[in-house]
Amino acid sequence: MDVSKTFDRFWQASLLGKIAAYGLSPSLIDWVKDFLSERSLRVFIDGCTSDPVATNAGVPQGSVLSATPFLLHINDLLIPGIYRYADDSTVVERYQTPKQCIAIIVMNRDIIDTQNNTGNVKFKCYDINSMCGQNLRQRVMFVAIAALVISVVVLLSSVAYLLNSASLDAYIIKQPVTAMNLIFSLVAASISSYQIVISLLLLWQGFWVNSGIFLCSLWYVSHLSILVVYWILFGARTVICFNENRRIQALLTIFIGIVYQALFTYFCVVVNRYLHSSNQDRYF
């Protein structure tokens, strides 16, 4: 929030009443009154100066004392939970549900609107809807594109391995590591096909500003289950590789598993934040 024309709209009578309520000494109040009273304004344009006009509002700009009376003046105008610096204020609140957040915003706006209608200090409100140059909807669209690309790569790799395994001898297929690779590829191919579909749907929903959050909820819940399945697959392959003394393959499996799980865990966090920011009913 920003105060419009801070030093020009300063309400002198209101300040004098407030500093008296703060318990300042009468001599200090008289000193502030003398500092603010009997002031006038003139306009200077192209070498011409207008006649002076008396004013009962505002404080001299450029004075060291001007900021202090202003801060005393607005000290009790806003509810607790805000951070202020001079005439700029930021409202910070914690909430459990989107409805609570909206109620807090409405309450703050009502207080500000009341002050705007009754006092000489006018507030302007600015809503923040982005972070780091991207809003949450843009981040969800990025998640959909990234998940789509990763799923396509996993699907193509799995299908290529399965096609290559069709020509292997039965003895080789019965080897533990090879058998695990076949199971891993079959499951990964199925899961990736599903991920491609729901990621495309999530990307499609991202283009519709007024759409619901059902697809986001579906994507989020599905990937929570997918992460568990992949933990089992990566863990099983790691154990088998260690048992077969294939330590390099085991370490490579651990590395790929950590990277994959970390990426999709971050994607789930982004989608979950978007769901919490939407003022709509959740589907889980």
Side-chain angles (χ1 to χ4, degrees):
M1 296 180 298
D2 179 71
V3 181
S4 301
K5 299 181 179 179
T6 305
F7 294 101
D8 295 334
R9 292 181 177 272
F10 195 93
W11 193 8
Q12 298 175 1
S14 174
L15 170 67
L16 296 175
K18 288 182 178 181
I19 61 176
Y22 291 150
L24 299 181
S25 63
S27 59
L28 181 58
I29 296 174
D30 291 338
W31 185 84
V32 174
K33 182 178 180 181
D34 291 339
F35 173 74
L36 297 175
S37 61
E38 297 183 2
R39 291 189 174 274
S40 60
L41 300 176
R42 290 195 296 180
V43 178
F44 181 81
I45 300 177
D46 294 334
C48 299
T49 304
S50 67
D51 295 331
V53 177
T55 177
N56 59 358
V59 292
Q61 299 192 33
S63 171
V64 177
L65 185 61
S66 298
T68 302
F70 169 76
L71 294 176
L72 292 173
H73 183 232
I74 68 169
N75 186 57
D76 60 345
L77 295 182
L78 301 173
I79 65 174
I82 69 171
Y83 295 91
R84 290 192 292 262
Y85 180 79
D87 61 337
D88 294 316
S89 302
T90 301
V91 179
V92 178
E93 295 286 354
R94 300 182 64 181
Y95 60 92
Q96 298 295 327
T97 64
K99 292 182 179 179
Q100 291 180 2
C101 177
I102 292 175
I104 292 171
I105 293 174
V106 170
M107 180 175 60
N108 281 279
R109 284 189 176 275
D110 288 342
I111 295 174
I112 293 168
D113 290 340
T114 300
Q115 171 61 29
N116 287 345
N117 293 330
T118 59
N120 285 359
V121 178
K122 304 298 182 182
F123 289 90
K124 295 184 295 184
C125 294
Y126 301 93
D127 294 329
I128 299 176
N129 56 13
S130 65
M131 295 182 64
C132 301
Q134 285 185 326
N135 57 35
L136 288 175
R137 180 174 292 275
Q138 291 174 333
R139 289 184 179 272
V140 169
M141 293 178 66
F142 167 78
V143 166
I145 295 173
L148 180 62
V149 172
I150 295 174
S151 300
V152 169
V153 172
V154 173
L155 177 62
L156 294 178
S157 301
S158 301
V159 171
Y161 183 84
L162 291 173
L163 293 176
N164 183 60
S165 301
S167 60
L168 296 178
D169 296 335
Y171 172 77
I172 298 177
I173 295 178
K174 291 181 181 179
Q175 296 297 318
V177 176
T178 305
M180 183 64 218
N181 289 340
L182 286 173
I183 296 174
F184 197 112
S185 298
L186 285 171
V187 176
S190 302
I191 292 177
S192 298
S193 300
Y194 175 73
Q195 286 179 291
I196 290 173
V197 174
I198 59 175
S199 295
L200 285 173
L201 292 175
L202 183 64
L203 183 63
W204 171 77
Q205 185 182 29
F207 288 101
W208 298 90
V209 179
N210 296 322
S211 61
I213 60 173
F214 172 76
L215 294 178
C216 289
S217 301
L218 177 64
W219 191 99
Y220 175 73
V221 175
S222 299
H223 277 79
L224 291 180
S225 302
I226 290 172
L227 286 174
V228 175
V229 174
Y230 269 113
W231 269 123
I232 297 174
L233 290 175
F234 283 117
R237 190 178 189 280
T238 301
V239 172
I240 293 175
C241 288
F242 273 121
N243 288 337
E244 295 296 317
N245 292 323
R246 300 187 181 184
R247 292 182 175 82
I248 296 179
Q249 292 188 23
L251 294 176
L252 183 62
T253 302
I254 294 175
F255 174 76
I256 295 175
I258 292 175
V259 172
Y260 185 91
Q261 297 289 76
L263 280 174
F264 276 91
T265 299
Y266 168 73
F267 293 162
C268 288
V269 170
V270 172
V271 174
N272 186 49
R273 286 182 177 178
Y274 175 74
L275 291 173
H276 279 289
S277 68
S278 301
N279 185 32
Q280 300 184 44
D281 294 332
R282 304 283 291 276
Y283 291 88
F284 58 91

PDB file of all heavy atoms in Angstrom, residues 131-161:
ATOM      1  N   MET A 131       5.944 -13.879  -8.285  1.00  0.00           N
ATOM      2  CA  MET A 131       7.181 -13.994  -7.532  1.00  0.00           C
ATOM      3  C   MET A 131       8.296 -14.349  -8.498  1.00  0.00           C
ATOM      4  O   MET A 131       8.141 -15.232  -9.338  1.00  0.00           O
ATOM      5  CB  MET A 131       7.074 -15.084  -6.447  1.00  0.00           C
ATOM      6  CG  MET A 131       6.064 -14.781  -5.358  1.00  0.00           C
ATOM      7  SD  MET A 131       6.028 -16.061  -4.100  1.00  0.00           S
ATOM      8  CE  MET A 131       7.685 -15.920  -3.443  1.00  0.00           C
ATOM      9  N   CYS A 132       9.408 -13.655  -8.393  1.00  0.00           N
ATOM     10  CA  CYS A 132      10.570 -13.914  -9.257  1.00  0.00           C
ATOM     11  C   CYS A 132      10.196 -13.798 -10.720  1.00  0.00           C
ATOM     12  O   CYS A 132      10.722 -14.528 -11.576  1.00  0.00           O
ATOM     13  CB  CYS A 132      11.165 -15.286  -8.964  1.00  0.00           C
ATOM     14  SG  CYS A 132      11.709 -15.505  -7.255  1.00  0.00           S
ATOM     15  N   GLY A 133       9.252 -12.898 -11.044  1.00  0.00           N
ATOM     16  CA  GLY A 133       8.904 -12.664 -12.437  1.00  0.00           C
ATOM     17  C   GLY A 133       7.904 -13.653 -13.005  1.00  0.00           C
ATOM     18  O   GLY A 133       7.509 -13.533 -14.154  1.00  0.00           O
ATOM     19  N   GLN A 134       7.473 -14.653 -12.228  1.00  0.00           N
ATOM     20  CA  GLN A 134       6.521 -15.640 -12.711  1.00  0.00           C
ATOM     21  C   GLN A 134       5.422 -15.813 -11.666  1.00  0.00           C
ATOM     22  O   GLN A 134       5.707 -15.930 -10.479  1.00  0.00           O
ATOM     23  CB  GLN A 134       7.189 -16.995 -12.956  1.00  0.00           C
ATOM     24  CG  GLN A 134       8.051 -17.065 -14.204  1.00  0.00           C
ATOM     25  CD  GLN A 134       8.564 -18.470 -14.437  1.00  0.00           C
ATOM     26  OE1 GLN A 134       8.841 -19.207 -13.512  1.00  0.00           O
ATOM     27  NE2 GLN A 134       8.671 -18.843 -15.688  1.00  0.00           N
ATOM     28  N   ASN A 135       4.167 -15.855 -12.126  1.00  0.00           N
ATOM     29  CA  ASN A 135       3.103 -16.170 -11.193  1.00  0.00           C
ATOM     30  C   ASN A 135       2.944 -17.682 -11.111  1.00  0.00           C
ATOM     31  O   ASN A 135       3.582 -18.441 -11.834  1.00  0.00           O
ATOM     32  CB  ASN A 135       1.793 -15.490 -11.589  1.00  0.00           C
ATOM     33  CG  ASN A 135       1.351 -15.869 -12.990  1.00  0.00           C
ATOM     34  OD1 ASN A 135       1.546 -16.996 -13.441  1.00  0.00           O
ATOM     35  ND2 ASN A 135       0.733 -14.934 -13.683  1.00  0.00           N
ATOM     36  N   LEU A 136       2.093 -18.121 -10.201  1.00  0.00           N
ATOM     37  CA  LEU A 136       1.962 -19.550  -9.968  1.00  0.00           C
ATOM     38  C   LEU A 136       1.406 -20.288 -11.172  1.00  0.00           C
ATOM     39  O   LEU A 136       1.773 -21.433 -11.431  1.00  0.00           O
ATOM     40  CB  LEU A 136       1.068 -19.773  -8.747  1.00  0.00           C
ATOM     41  CG  LEU A 136       1.700 -19.413  -7.400  1.00  0.00           C
ATOM     42  CD1 LEU A 136       0.686 -19.554  -6.287  1.00  0.00           C
ATOM     43  CD2 LEU A 136       2.913 -20.287  -7.135  1.00  0.00           C
ATOM     44  N   ARG A 137       0.526 -19.644 -11.927  1.00  0.00           N
ATOM     45  CA  ARG A 137      -0.011 -20.307 -13.124  1.00  0.00           C
ATOM     46  C   ARG A 137       1.097 -20.552 -14.148  1.00  0.00           C
ATOM     47  O   ARG A 137       1.144 -21.610 -14.780  1.00  0.00           O
ATOM     48  CB  ARG A 137      -1.126 -19.455 -13.734  1.00  0.00           C
ATOM     49  CG  ARG A 137      -1.752 -20.070 -14.981  1.00  0.00           C
ATOM     50  CD  ARG A 137      -2.936 -19.253 -15.450  1.00  0.00           C
ATOM     51  NE  ARG A 137      -4.018 -19.342 -14.496  1.00  0.00           N
ATOM     52  CZ  ARG A 137      -4.918 -20.323 -14.491  1.00  0.00           C
ATOM     53  NH1 ARG A 137      -4.846 -21.292 -15.385  1.00  0.00           N
ATOM     54  NH2 ARG A 137      -5.879 -20.332 -13.603  1.00  0.00           N
ATOM     55  N   GLN A 138       1.978 -19.588 -14.323  1.00  0.00           N
ATOM     56  CA  GLN A 138       3.096 -19.788 -15.247  1.00  0.00           C
ATOM     57  C   GLN A 138       4.012 -20.896 -14.773  1.00  0.00           C
ATOM     58  O   GLN A 138       4.533 -21.686 -15.583  1.00  0.00           O
ATOM     59  CB  GLN A 138       3.872 -18.481 -15.393  1.00  0.00           C
ATOM     60  CG  GLN A 138       3.123 -17.388 -16.130  1.00  0.00           C
ATOM     61  CD  GLN A 138       3.870 -16.071 -16.136  1.00  0.00           C
ATOM     62  OE1 GLN A 138       4.667 -15.785 -15.244  1.00  0.00           O
ATOM     63  NE2 GLN A 138       3.621 -15.254 -17.146  1.00  0.00           N
ATOM     64  N   ARG A 139       4.206 -20.994 -13.470  1.00  0.00           N
ATOM     65  CA  ARG A 139       5.044 -22.068 -12.941  1.00  0.00           C
ATOM     66  C   ARG A 139       4.398 -23.434 -13.155  1.00  0.00           C
ATOM     67  O   ARG A 139       5.085 -24.427 -13.425  1.00  0.00           O
ATOM     68  CB  ARG A 139       5.319 -21.830 -11.455  1.00  0.00           C
ATOM     69  CG  ARG A 139       6.265 -20.663 -11.207  1.00  0.00           C
ATOM     70  CD  ARG A 139       6.574 -20.524  -9.724  1.00  0.00           C
ATOM     71  NE  ARG A 139       7.506 -19.429  -9.492  1.00  0.00           N
ATOM     72  CZ  ARG A 139       8.823 -19.555  -9.523  1.00  0.00           C
ATOM     73  NH1 ARG A 139       9.359 -20.728  -9.784  1.00  0.00           N
ATOM     74  NH2 ARG A 139       9.608 -18.526  -9.307  1.00  0.00           N
ATOM     75  N   VAL A 140       3.088 -23.510 -13.028  1.00  0.00           N
ATOM     76  CA  VAL A 140       2.386 -24.767 -13.276  1.00  0.00           C
ATOM     77  C   VAL A 140       2.521 -25.167 -14.740  1.00  0.00           C
ATOM     78  O   VAL A 140       2.720 -26.353 -15.067  1.00  0.00           O
ATOM     79  CB  VAL A 140       0.908 -24.653 -12.865  1.00  0.00           C
ATOM     80  CG1 VAL A 140       0.109 -25.840 -13.368  1.00  0.00           C
ATOM     81  CG2 VAL A 140       0.791 -24.558 -11.352  1.00  0.00           C
ATOM     82  N   MET A 141       2.440 -24.209 -15.639  1.00  0.00           N
ATOM     83  CA  MET A 141       2.624 -24.504 -17.057  1.00  0.00           C
ATOM     84  C   MET A 141       4.049 -24.982 -17.332  1.00  0.00           C
ATOM     85  O   MET A 141       4.264 -25.893 -18.141  1.00  0.00           O
ATOM     86  CB  MET A 141       2.299 -23.260 -17.888  1.00  0.00           C
ATOM     87  CG  MET A 141       0.833 -22.865 -17.837  1.00  0.00           C
ATOM     88  SD  MET A 141       0.462 -21.365 -18.782  1.00  0.00           S
ATOM     89  CE  MET A 141       0.801 -21.957 -20.441  1.00  0.00           C
ATOM     90  N   PHE A 142       5.030 -24.386 -16.654  1.00  0.00           N
ATOM     91  CA  PHE A 142       6.408 -24.863 -16.780  1.00  0.00           C
ATOM     92  C   PHE A 142       6.531 -26.302 -16.283  1.00  0.00           C
ATOM     93  O   PHE A 142       7.214 -27.140 -16.894  1.00  0.00           O
ATOM     94  CB  PHE A 142       7.345 -23.951 -15.999  1.00  0.00           C
ATOM     95  CG  PHE A 142       8.728 -24.524 -15.803  1.00  0.00           C
ATOM     96  CD1 PHE A 142       9.651 -24.507 -16.832  1.00  0.00           C
ATOM     97  CD2 PHE A 142       9.082 -25.101 -14.589  1.00  0.00           C
ATOM     98  CE1 PHE A 142      10.919 -25.049 -16.659  1.00  0.00           C
ATOM     99  CE2 PHE A 142      10.344 -25.642 -14.399  1.00  0.00           C
ATOM    100  CZ  PHE A 142      11.267 -25.619 -15.445  1.00  0.00           C
ATOM    101  N   VAL A 143       5.878 -26.609 -15.161  1.00  0.00           N
ATOM    102  CA  VAL A 143       5.896 -27.979 -14.627  1.00  0.00           C
ATOM    103  C   VAL A 143       5.297 -28.948 -15.628  1.00  0.00           C
ATOM    104  O   VAL A 143       5.833 -30.042 -15.850  1.00  0.00           O
ATOM    105  CB  VAL A 143       5.126 -28.024 -13.292  1.00  0.00           C
ATOM    106  CG1 VAL A 143       4.822 -29.469 -12.895  1.00  0.00           C
ATOM    107  CG2 VAL A 143       5.918 -27.342 -12.197  1.00  0.00           C
ATOM    108  N   ALA A 144       4.181 -28.559 -16.258  1.00  0.00           N
ATOM    109  CA  ALA A 144       3.542 -29.439 -17.235  1.00  0.00           C
ATOM    110  C   ALA A 144       4.468 -29.710 -18.418  1.00  0.00           C
ATOM    111  O   ALA A 144       4.585 -30.861 -18.876  1.00  0.00           O
ATOM    112  CB  ALA A 144       2.235 -28.802 -17.715  1.00  0.00           C
ATOM    113  N   ILE A 145       5.149 -28.674 -18.913  1.00  0.00           N
ATOM    114  CA  ILE A 145       6.053 -28.860 -20.055  1.00  0.00           C
ATOM    115  C   ILE A 145       7.250 -29.719 -19.666  1.00  0.00           C
ATOM    116  O   ILE A 145       7.638 -30.650 -20.395  1.00  0.00           O
ATOM    117  CB  ILE A 145       6.516 -27.486 -20.580  1.00  0.00           C
ATOM    118  CG1 ILE A 145       5.336 -26.714 -21.150  1.00  0.00           C
ATOM    119  CG2 ILE A 145       7.590 -27.653 -21.648  1.00  0.00           C
ATOM    120  CD1 ILE A 145       5.661 -25.286 -21.536  1.00  0.00           C
ATOM    121  N   ALA A 146       7.845 -29.436 -18.501  1.00  0.00           N
ATOM    122  CA  ALA A 146       9.009 -30.203 -18.058  1.00  0.00           C
ATOM    123  C   ALA A 146       8.645 -31.666 -17.813  1.00  0.00           C
ATOM    124  O   ALA A 146       9.384 -32.579 -18.218  1.00  0.00           O
ATOM    125  CB  ALA A 146       9.592 -29.581 -16.794  1.00  0.00           C
ATOM    126  N   ALA A 147       7.508 -31.905 -17.148  1.00  0.00           N
ATOM    127  CA  ALA A 147       7.075 -33.283 -16.904  1.00  0.00           C
ATOM    128  C   ALA A 147       6.776 -34.004 -18.210  1.00  0.00           C
ATOM    129  O   ALA A 147       7.065 -35.208 -18.349  1.00  0.00           O
ATOM    130  CB  ALA A 147       5.842 -33.280 -16.005  1.00  0.00           C
ATOM    131  N   LEU A 148       6.224 -33.282 -19.166  1.00  0.00           N
ATOM    132  CA  LEU A 148       5.929 -33.874 -20.476  1.00  0.00           C
ATOM    133  C   LEU A 148       7.209 -34.304 -21.180  1.00  0.00           C
ATOM    134  O   LEU A 148       7.301 -35.423 -21.711  1.00  0.00           O
ATOM    135  CB  LEU A 148       5.158 -32.873 -21.326  1.00  0.00           C
ATOM    136  CG  LEU A 148       4.769 -33.318 -22.739  1.00  0.00           C
ATOM    137  CD1 LEU A 148       3.839 -34.515 -22.679  1.00  0.00           C
ATOM    138  CD2 LEU A 148       4.117 -32.162 -23.489  1.00  0.00           C
ATOM    139  N   VAL A 149       8.216 -33.443 -21.178  1.00  0.00           N
ATOM    140  CA  VAL A 149       9.486 -33.765 -21.844  1.00  0.00           C
ATOM    141  C   VAL A 149      10.162 -34.958 -21.164  1.00  0.00           C
ATOM    142  O   VAL A 149      10.627 -35.897 -21.833  1.00  0.00           O
ATOM    143  CB  VAL A 149      10.418 -32.535 -21.835  1.00  0.00           C
ATOM    144  CG1 VAL A 149      11.812 -32.913 -22.343  1.00  0.00           C
ATOM    145  CG2 VAL A 149       9.834 -31.418 -22.683  1.00  0.00           C
ATOM    146  N   ILE A 150      10.217 -34.956 -19.846  1.00  0.00           N
ATOM    147  CA  ILE A 150      10.860 -36.056 -19.115  1.00  0.00           C
ATOM    148  C   ILE A 150      10.119 -37.365 -19.361  1.00  0.00           C
ATOM    149  O   ILE A 150      10.747 -38.419 -19.575  1.00  0.00           O
ATOM    150  CB  ILE A 150      10.907 -35.738 -17.609  1.00  0.00           C
ATOM    151  CG1 ILE A 150      11.814 -34.530 -17.356  1.00  0.00           C
ATOM    152  CG2 ILE A 150      11.392 -36.941 -16.813  1.00  0.00           C
ATOM    153  CD1 ILE A 150      11.811 -34.043 -15.915  1.00  0.00           C
ATOM    154  N   SER A 151       8.795 -37.319 -19.363  1.00  0.00           N
ATOM    155  CA  SER A 151       8.006 -38.532 -19.570  1.00  0.00           C
ATOM    156  C   SER A 151       8.212 -39.095 -20.976  1.00  0.00           C
ATOM    157  O   SER A 151       8.278 -40.320 -21.162  1.00  0.00           O
ATOM    158  CB  SER A 151       6.521 -38.240 -19.329  1.00  0.00           C
ATOM    159  OG  SER A 151       6.312 -37.782 -18.012  1.00  0.00           O
ATOM    160  N   VAL A 152       8.317 -38.225 -21.967  1.00  0.00           N
ATOM    161  CA  VAL A 152       8.563 -38.684 -23.339  1.00  0.00           C
ATOM    162  C   VAL A 152       9.924 -39.363 -23.436  1.00  0.00           C
ATOM    163  O   VAL A 152      10.071 -40.424 -24.062  1.00  0.00           O
ATOM    164  CB  VAL A 152       8.466 -37.499 -24.320  1.00  0.00           C
ATOM    165  CG1 VAL A 152       8.980 -37.904 -25.702  1.00  0.00           C
ATOM    166  CG2 VAL A 152       7.033 -37.011 -24.421  1.00  0.00           C
ATOM    167  N   VAL A 153      10.937 -38.780 -22.801  1.00  0.00           N
ATOM    168  CA  VAL A 153      12.275 -39.381 -22.814  1.00  0.00           C
ATOM    169  C   VAL A 153      12.257 -40.748 -22.140  1.00  0.00           C
ATOM    170  O   VAL A 153      12.840 -41.722 -22.661  1.00  0.00           O
ATOM    171  CB  VAL A 153      13.284 -38.442 -22.132  1.00  0.00           C
ATOM    172  CG1 VAL A 153      14.635 -39.143 -21.964  1.00  0.00           C
ATOM    173  CG2 VAL A 153      13.456 -37.161 -22.934  1.00  0.00           C
ATOM    174  N   VAL A 154      11.605 -40.857 -20.996  1.00  0.00           N
ATOM    175  CA  VAL A 154      11.525 -42.135 -20.284  1.00  0.00           C
ATOM    176  C   VAL A 154      10.762 -43.164 -21.112  1.00  0.00           C
ATOM    177  O   VAL A 154      11.164 -44.342 -21.192  1.00  0.00           O
ATOM    178  CB  VAL A 154      10.860 -41.941 -18.909  1.00  0.00           C
ATOM    179  CG1 VAL A 154      10.616 -43.284 -18.231  1.00  0.00           C
ATOM    180  CG2 VAL A 154      11.730 -41.063 -18.022  1.00  0.00           C
ATOM    181  N   LEU A 155       9.686 -42.749 -21.749  1.00  0.00           N
ATOM    182  CA  LEU A 155       8.898 -43.666 -22.574  1.00  0.00           C
ATOM    183  C   LEU A 155       9.710 -44.194 -23.751  1.00  0.00           C
ATOM    184  O   LEU A 155       9.730 -45.402 -24.017  1.00  0.00           O
ATOM    185  CB  LEU A 155       7.634 -42.965 -23.069  1.00  0.00           C
ATOM    186  CG  LEU A 155       6.740 -43.779 -24.013  1.00  0.00           C
ATOM    187  CD1 LEU A 155       6.226 -45.023 -23.312  1.00  0.00           C
ATOM    188  CD2 LEU A 155       5.587 -42.923 -24.518  1.00  0.00           C
ATOM    189  N   LEU A 156      10.402 -43.314 -24.457  1.00  0.00           N
ATOM    190  CA  LEU A 156      11.203 -43.740 -25.605  1.00  0.00           C
ATOM    191  C   LEU A 156      12.341 -44.661 -25.173  1.00  0.00           C
ATOM    192  O   LEU A 156      12.633 -45.663 -25.851  1.00  0.00           O
ATOM    193  CB  LEU A 156      11.755 -42.513 -26.336  1.00  0.00           C
ATOM    194  CG  LEU A 156      10.724 -41.610 -27.020  1.00  0.00           C
ATOM    195  CD1 LEU A 156      11.404 -40.405 -27.652  1.00  0.00           C
ATOM    196  CD2 LEU A 156       9.932 -42.394 -28.064  1.00  0.00           C
ATOM    197  N   SER A 157      12.975 -44.350 -24.064  1.00  0.00           N
ATOM    198  CA  SER A 157      14.069 -45.205 -23.570  1.00  0.00           C
ATOM    199  C   SER A 157      13.553 -46.586 -23.177  1.00  0.00           C
ATOM    200  O   SER A 157      14.189 -47.611 -23.483  1.00  0.00           O
ATOM    201  CB  SER A 157      14.748 -44.543 -22.368  1.00  0.00           C
ATOM    202  OG  SER A 157      15.268 -43.273 -22.722  1.00  0.00           O
ATOM    203  N   SER A 158      12.399 -46.616 -22.516  1.00  0.00           N
ATOM    204  CA  SER A 158      11.833 -47.900 -22.096  1.00  0.00           C
ATOM    205  C   SER A 158      11.419 -48.746 -23.290  1.00  0.00           C
ATOM    206  O   SER A 158      11.686 -49.960 -23.335  1.00  0.00           O
ATOM    207  CB  SER A 158      10.628 -47.657 -21.179  1.00  0.00           C
ATOM    208  OG  SER A 158      10.996 -46.918 -20.034  1.00  0.00           O
ATOM    209  N   VAL A 159      10.761 -48.127 -24.258  1.00  0.00           N
ATOM    210  CA  VAL A 159      10.347 -48.865 -25.453  1.00  0.00           C
ATOM    211  C   VAL A 159      11.562 -49.376 -26.230  1.00  0.00           C
ATOM    212  O   VAL A 159      11.570 -50.518 -26.726  1.00  0.00           O
ATOM    213  CB  VAL A 159       9.456 -47.968 -26.338  1.00  0.00           C
ATOM    214  CG1 VAL A 159       9.188 -48.637 -27.686  1.00  0.00           C
ATOM    215  CG2 VAL A 159       8.143 -47.658 -25.639  1.00  0.00           C
ATOM    216  N   ALA A 160      12.598 -48.553 -26.328  1.00  0.00           N
ATOM    217  CA  ALA A 160      13.812 -48.987 -27.036  1.00  0.00           C
ATOM    218  C   ALA A 160      14.451 -50.183 -26.343  1.00  0.00           C
ATOM    219  O   ALA A 160      14.904 -51.134 -27.006  1.00  0.00           O
ATOM    220  CB  ALA A 160      14.803 -47.830 -27.112  1.00  0.00           C
ATOM    221  N   TYR A 161      14.486 -50.179 -25.011  1.00  0.00           N
ATOM    222  CA  TYR A 161      15.067 -51.315 -24.290  1.00  0.00           C
ATOM    223  C   TYR A 161      14.215 -52.569 -24.464  1.00  0.00           C
ATOM    224  O   TYR A 161      14.750 -53.677 -24.637  1.00  0.00           O
ATOM    225  CB  TYR A 161      15.206 -50.979 -22.813  1.00  0.00           C
ATOM    226  CG  TYR A 161      15.861 -52.079 -22.017  1.00  0.00           C
ATOM    227  CD1 TYR A 161      17.245 -52.179 -21.953  1.00  0.00           C
ATOM    228  CD2 TYR A 161      15.099 -53.035 -21.342  1.00  0.00           C
ATOM    229  CE1 TYR A 161      17.863 -53.194 -21.234  1.00  0.00           C
ATOM    230  CE2 TYR A 161      15.705 -54.054 -20.617  1.00  0.00           C
ATOM    231  CZ  TYR A 161      17.083 -54.128 -20.570  1.00  0.00           C
ATOM    232  OH  TYR A 161      17.691 -55.153 -19.872  1.00  0.00           O
TER     233      TYR A 161
END
